[in-house]
Amino acid sequence: MSSACFTGHRSIPRSEEISDRLYNILESWICAKGLTDFYAGGAVGWDTLAADAVLRLREKYPQIKLHLVLPCSDEEQTARWPAAQKREFYRILGLADSVEYVSHRYYNGCMKDRNIRLVEYADTCCFCFWNPDNFCSGTGQTVRLAKKKRLTIVNVRDYL
């Protein structure tokens, strides 16, 4: 078994093109490297897109698993989200193979702690959608942690 994590920005352009590209990249890693476990953070944007790609791939490769690592309770995480994003979150939550909460209450730093946990679980690579100009973002922090752990970084943004 080998594992990967996801990190990326909440706002991403051309979602369908990115989704298709990510699906193909993940499929190649599943076939070539035997990836079985995928860890996503449950945020809108990249996390949702990545989780959906894993769920679609799971139909073809039933051995793969989607694990959600959430920073706080569902209610607190989605409190300010529009209804459509909440529906998508709960759909993914219901289909995930496991769900872990860093905390049941939001606190300053729970997102950072979630990012640390995502990298801890990954042993092979980190699939990201990251603009390196945005160095101080949570995505940038997670990529730096993944590099420090010597995970392979696959920035899907570079494949568009």
Side-chain angles (χ1 to χ4, degrees):
M1 291 179 21
S2 63
S3 57
C5 65
F6 296 103
T7 188
H9 302 298
R10 288 181 179 85
S11 177
I12 55 176
R14 301 184 312 273
S15 293
E16 191 172 321
E17 179 184 354
I18 295 168
S19 178
D20 291 344
R21 183 62 53 140
L22 177 61
Y23 181 97
N24 292 331
I25 291 169
L26 293 178
E27 186 171 33
S28 70
W29 277 75
I30 290 165
C31 294
K33 305 285 186 183
L35 283 181
T36 56
D37 292 274
F38 296 88
Y39 293 86
V44 298
W46 178 252
D47 286 357
T48 299
L49 192 137
D52 189 58
V54 172
L55 291 171
R56 289 188 297 134
L57 282 160
R58 192 173 67 184
E59 294 173 12
K60 188 172 182 180
Y61 304 96
Q63 75 275 18
I64 68 171
K65 307 285 186 221
L66 173 64
H67 307 282
L68 297 179
V69 180
L70 305 178
C72 55
S73 72
D74 308 339
E75 296 80 17
E76 288 192 32
Q77 180 161 340
T78 64
R80 297 184 183 141
W81 293 9
Q85 289 176 336
K86 285 184 183 184
R87 280 192 302 276
E88 181 67 1
F89 172 84
Y90 283 105
R91 181 187 73 80
I92 290 168
L93 186 71
L95 294 171
D97 293 287
S98 72
V99 180
E100 176 184 332
Y101 297 90
V102 170
S103 173
H104 288 285
R105 303 287 312 173
Y106 176 86
Y107 62 89
N108 189 16
C110 68
M111 303 292 182
K112 181 179 181 178
D113 290 343
R114 184 259 335 257
N115 295 342
I116 291 168
R117 189 81 48 90
L118 289 168
V119 172
E120 286 175 353
Y121 285 132
D123 64 15
T124 302
C125 80
C126 175
F127 295 101
C128 63
F129 191 87
W130 178 50
N131 178 352
D133 294 336
N134 197 348
F135 188 78
C136 294
S137 67
T139 299
Q141 172 223 5
T142 308
V143 169
R144 288 190 302 280
L145 288 168
K147 284 181 178 180
K148 185 175 181 180
K149 189 175 176 180
R150 299 189 190 280
L151 298 178
T152 300
I153 308 299
V154 179
N155 190 354
V156 175
R157 186 174 181 262
D158 295 340
Y159 291 83
L160 299 176

